[in-house]
Amino acid sequence: MSRPSESHAGLPEPPPHHDVRPAVPVQNTRPAPARVSAPSRGLDRFNTASPAAAEAALLGCCGSHRWAQRLAAHRPYPDLGALLAAADEAGYDMAPADLAEALAAEDSPGLHHAAPPSAHLALSAAHAAYECRFGHVFVICLDAFKPPEHPDQVLAGIRARLGHEPDEERVVTADEMRRLARGRIIELMTDTDKDPADTP
């Protein structure tokens, strides 16, 4: 499951002539307006950021340094679709060590603190069983589900995937990481209100 979107590194503002104000990260699920859209502003900032700032922002989307360096090195991107296509391609090209690095940066999906203790216990046991079998945290992209559905989807996903052979699960995990990275990139590119001072 994804890390909180608030953990994404911000990007520096473009040069002053762009007149762009910074905004809170929002998952853009509708087509952007034809004129200056949130994704184009965010993409402009991404394209003009320093290599170090671009890589830091991308590492908030996927924890593989080689993946982030590859995407940052191929800027500028003409549109969000081109960036997402490049992210997918880089994801498919990740070596096992790159995937392991990305997984090491992930957090196990949890529950709201107000959830019943029995739910916390069940999820904790499921995560422990998964990590014992496969040696890394469980990741799942939940973009297609509403937040109240997330706990059930995580538990169902872990239980179903515990039956996989390690090679099969590695393929599924890599696919989930690519989907997570896409969603996080969309959030990053539609985030027009980040303070440049937040960029490392």
Side-chain angles (χ1 to χ4, degrees), residues 62 67 70-71 85-95 99 174 178:
C62 175
W67 178 91
R70 175 171 168 174
L71 288 184
D88 280 346
E89 184 180 350
Y92 281 111
D93 289 344
M94 281 201 294
L99 180 58
R178 283 189 294 273

Side-chain angles (χ1 to χ4, degrees), residues 16-174:
H17 68 274
H18 291 284
D19 193 39
V20 175
R21 283 182 310 118
V24 214
V26 175
Q27 179 79 32
N28 187 17
T29 55
R30 294 185 300 259
R35 44 200 190 95
V36 183
S37 63
S40 68
R41 286 186 220 146
L43 184 64
D44 184 56
R45 291 192 310 182
F46 174 72
N47 281 333
T48 58
S50 70
E55 287 175 23
L58 288 165
L59 284 171
C61 302
C62 175
S64 162
H65 281 80
R66 196 167 74 92
W67 178 91
Q69 289 163 359
R70 175 171 168 174
L71 288 184
H74 284 84
R75 294 173 300 154
Y77 294 94
D79 52 45
L80 181 58
L83 173 56
L84 293 174
D88 280 346
E89 184 180 350
Y92 281 111
D93 289 344
M94 281 201 294
D98 300 322
L99 180 58
E101 183 183 29
L103 288 169
E106 293 293 319
D107 295 321
S108 298
L111 298 175
H112 189 274
H113 64 84
S118 58
H120 284 283
L121 188 61
L123 187 59
S124 177
H127 279 303
Y130 180 92
E131 291 177 27
C132 180
R133 176 157 172 72
F134 298 113
H136 57 76
V137 299
F138 175 79
V139 292
I140 185 169
C141 181
L142 298 170
D143 289 351
F145 301 96
K146 296 177 181 177
E149 300 175 66
H150 290 183
D152 287 341
Q153 290 299 322
V154 171
L155 274 172
I158 292 175
R159 287 168 180 160
R161 287 162 57 183
L162 275 170
H164 289 173
E165 291 301 317
D167 287 347
E168 181 184 9
E169 181 57 20
R170 193 174 300 113
V171 171
V172 173
T173 297

